[in-house]
């Protein structure tokens, strides 16, 4: 099992319930493809480094999980098409 971290930036235009639903959907993809979530960090609303889709702010979430090597690819392919996600990045953490 490898350790991974999924960084999500969600649209600042979303309501609280919509953000929670998008986060739960991303977490469900991880568990569906055999991953185990170990930690979820919520950084809240932060200013983006540059404007994305005419937005200057976004909500940042960092999800740490453990899984085999094909889970991150599956998760990324599903997160990529989620409407509220404006940026994402999944990286492997060194042990």
């Amino acid at each position: 099992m490898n350790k991974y971290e999924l960084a999500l930036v969600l649209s600042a235009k979303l309501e609280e319930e919509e953000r929670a639903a998008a986060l739960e959907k991303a977490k469900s993809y991880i568990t569906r493809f055999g991953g185990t979530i170990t930690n979820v960090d919520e950084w809240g609303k932060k200013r983006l480094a540059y404007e994305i889709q005419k937005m200057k702010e976004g909500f940042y979430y960092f999800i740490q999980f453990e899984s085999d090597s094909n889970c991150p690819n599956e998760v990324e392919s599903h997160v990529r098409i989620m409407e509220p996600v404006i940026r994402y990045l999944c990286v492997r953490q060194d042990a």
Side-chain angles (χ1 to χ4, degrees):
M1 295 286 254
N2 298 321
K3 293 183 179 187
Y4 296 94
E5 182 174 54
L6 175 65
L8 288 176
V9 181
L10 301 180
S11 171
K13 297 175 183 174
L14 297 174
E15 297 295 323
E16 180 69 35
E17 302 86 37
E18 295 171 305
R19 277 199 321 272
L23 183 63
E24 284 305 313
K25 193 170 186 181
K27 287 163 57 175
S28 72
Y29 287 141
I30 292 170
T31 54
R32 184 196 304 175
F33 296 112
T36 306
I37 297 172
T38 56
N39 188 27
V40 178
D41 256 349
E42 181 178 343
W43 282 18
K45 188 187 257 188
K46 299 282 184 189
R47 186 169 177 80
L48 298 172
Y50 52 90
E51 202 171 284
I52 303 171
Q53 300 172 2
K54 298 185 179 179
M55 287 182 270
K56 295 182 189 307
E57 295 180 318
F59 286 93
Y60 283 71
Y61 296 93
F62 296 90
I63 305 169
Q64 282 98 24
F65 64 98
E66 293 179 353
S67 70
D68 57 8
S69 59
N70 68 336
C71 178
N73 296 332
E74 294 289 341
V75 170
E76 276 192 359
S77 69
H78 285 81
V79 168
R80 175 181 292 123
I81 58 175
M82 286 175 60
E83 189 72 31
V85 175
I86 55 177
R87 283 292 186 269
Y88 67 92
L89 180 65
C90 191
V91 294
R92 181 174 173 207
Q93 296 178 325
D94 289 331

